[in-house]
Amino acid sequence: MAKGTGKVLAQNKKAGHDYFIEETIEAGMVLTGTEIKSIRAGKVQLKDSFVRVRNGEAWINNMHVSAFEQGNRFNHDPLRTRKLLLHKKQIGELVGAVKRDGYTIVPLKMYIKDGYAKLLIGVGKGKKDYDKRNDMRKKEAKREMERVFKERQR
């Protein structure tokens, strides 16, 4: 199965709007029992989350996983920092990418693959306002062309 395929549970659409994504890496996560149950139910949000590398380990911050309804006292903290499971070589690549000016690591989407929750993270360079406007213009022109083509087909 290719990277980024499987049952998609959450997507970070804002990442594509705010960053030029140059490279993607698939990562596993260390989760508790109630966290994986909430994730399988689709109660996860990647909107303001980011990845940070500390002491040779990758961690995801601000990923919101809602509390499991039947979790009672065993429930988890919704915004806790979670460890990402990556190879040492992959972590080294991420560290090298972040050291370059303007690059950051952002989560793109979360999905279930072969029964495990996976996170697709991307190395991206921040877009300037004029880049965002240019992308919006291109997207709008493409929609307009598709609309005109569809009308001609009738």
Side-chain angles (χ1 to χ4, degrees):
M1 201 178 278
K3 274 195 300 189
T5 58
K7 182 184 174 196
V8 177
L9 302 170
Q11 273 190 313
N12 189 357
K13 294 178 183 175
K14 196 164 174 76
H17 183 262
D18 291 341
Y19 300 98
F20 293 113
I21 304 298
E22 296 181 2
E23 180 185 354
T24 60
I25 298 174
E26 182 180 77
M29 290 174 288
V30 176
L31 300 169
T32 64
T34 56
E35 284 176 327
I36 189 64
K37 289 179 180 187
S38 288
I39 288 172
R40 286 180 193 274
K43 296 182 178 180
V44 61
Q45 202 171 43
L46 299 173
K47 190 175 180 184
D48 294 325
S49 57
F50 59 95
V51 177
R52 184 172 284 159
V53 178
R54 282 182 282 152
N55 300 329
E57 297 177 335
W59 300 84
I60 183 162
N61 299 313
N62 287 353
M63 180 176 75
H64 188 275
V65 179
S66 297
F68 186 57
E69 291 175 7
Q70 288 84 28
N72 60 43
R73 66 182 181 158
F74 299 109
N75 256 330
H76 58 277
D77 177 27
L79 288 175
R80 87 174 177 93
T81 304
R82 294 161 182 90
K83 184 177 179 179
L84 296 180
L85 302 173
L86 293 166
H87 293 284
K88 199 171 195 175
K89 183 179 176 185
Q90 291 174 321
I91 292 174
E93 290 173 6
L94 291 176
V95 169
V98 170
K99 284 186 179 177
R100 292 184 287 174
D101 192 34
Y103 284 85
T104 187
I105 311 165
V106 291
L108 302 174
K109 64 175 149 176
M110 181 181 284
Y111 50 93
I112 298 287
K113 180 178 173 184
D114 298 330
Y116 295 101
K118 301 287 183 178
L119 187 68
L120 188 68
I121 57 176
V123 177
K125 184 172 176 74
K127 287 184 182 179
K128 305 280 190 240
D129 284 337
Y130 56 84
D131 292 329
K132 293 177 189 177
R133 285 193 294 270
N134 195 16
D135 283 351
M136 286 172 40
R137 264 190 232 112
K138 286 180 185 177
K139 207 181 277 186
E140 195 173 303
K142 184 179 175 186
R143 272 194 223 122
E144 184 67 23
M145 286 176 24
E146 288 175 358
R147 187 184 61 78
V148 169
F149 183 72
K150 188 175 180 182
E151 286 179 6
R152 284 188 181 175
Q153 291 289 333
R154 290 182 188 188

